Amino acid sequence: MELAGAVVVVTGGTGGLGSRICRAFGRAGARVAVVYLERQGQANALATELLAGGAAGSLDVQADVTQVGPISGMIERVLEEWGRLDVLVNNAAFNQYVAYPDLDSMTQELWQKILYCNVTGPFLCSKAVAPVMKRQGSGRIVNIGSTAGFSPGGSSIAYAVSKAALAHLTRCLAVAFAPEVLVNGVAPGLMEGTRMTARLHPDQVRRASEEAALGRPVDKDDVADQVVTFARTDSTTGQNVIIDSGRVFH
C-alpha cells in the first residue's frame, strides 16, 4: 500500500508508543487521525506537530474505542474529513499490575475490564472498519500486542491472556477479512516511557532489560517502524512479530 495520502487511524494515539506510531505515519506522508479518550490537549498538540513534520493531514478524534457508538462516531468523523479509511492501528489498551500468585486481587471486575479493553475493543474497531475497507478494495489493520501474549509475563494473568487472545484474533481476522484487508500484529517487549510500563512493578521492569539478549529496553521507534511496514505490505497477513530486544524467542 502506498502511504502518501493514505488515511491512518491510531487508537491510543497520545500514548508513549501511540504518538511514535502517529509520527512514523506522518513522516510517510499519510493523513493521521489521533484517537484519544481523555487527553485532548495532547492529541491536539500532536496533530499540529504531525502537519509540521510532513503529514498530508491530521485530525484529533475523541472516542471510547471499547463502545460501539463512539467507534461508529470515530469512523464517521474520519470519513467526513477524508472520505476513506486505509489503516487502523489498534493500539489502545489497559493494564494494572497484579502479581500472578495474588489471585484474590484479580477480581472479576478487573479481569473483565482488561479483557474487554484489550481484546473486545480491537475486535469491535476492526469489525467496524472492515466494511469500509472492503468497499474500497483494500485496507490494513495492525494490532499492538505484547510479549506477554507469548510467554507468561506482563502486568497480570489477565493482561497476558488478553494479549494471547489478541494474537489469535489477528490470525482469525486475517482469514475473515481476506483478500481485501490484511491484518497483522506487533508484540513489543518492555518499552520505557509508556503508561503500560509505568504500571509495572519496578522489579519486573529491571528484569525485562537484564534478561533480554541485547540488555536494553525496546526502542519505541523500532516498533512504530514495524507497524508502518505492515501497513505497506501487500503479501503478509495473519502474522505477529515480536520486538523485545531478544527475550521471547517465538
Side-chain angles (χ1 to χ4, degrees), residues 106-121:
M106 180 49 66
T107 63
Q108 181 178 349
E109 291 76 19
L110 180 57
W111 174 276
Q112 289 175 333
K113 180 175 182 177
I114 292 172
L115 269 289
Y116 201 90
C117 289
N118 297 356
V119 186
T120 304

Side-chain angles (χ1 to χ4, degrees), residues 63-159:
D64 180 347
V65 292
T66 66
Q67 303 297 324
V68 172
I71 291 170
S72 296
M74 171 187 74
I75 295 171
E76 289 172 6
R77 174 92 185 278
V78 171
L79 292 178
E80 286 173 3
E81 186 75 16
W82 291 318
R84 60 184 299 110
L85 200 166
D86 299 294
V87 181
L88 168 68
V89 182
N90 284 312
N91 172 66
F94 176 78
N95 75 332
Q96 181 174 316
Y97 179 77
V98 178
Y100 273 41
D102 188 8
L103 295 181
D104 288 340
S105 294
M106 180 49 66
T107 63
Q108 181 178 349
E109 291 76 19
L110 180 57
W111 174 276
Q112 289 175 333
K113 180 175 182 177
I114 292 172
L115 269 289
Y116 201 90
C117 289
N118 297 356
V119 186
T120 304
F123 169 73
L124 293 175
C125 288
S126 300
K127 180 181 177 182
V129 303
V132 176
M133 293 178 173
K134 281 183 168 287
R135 285 196 301 269
Q136 296 170 173
S138 69
R140 305 289 185 270
I141 297 172
V142 184
N143 295 320
I144 305 301
S146 168
T147 54
F150 297 87
S151 179
S155 54
S156 69
I157 291 176
Y159 183 78

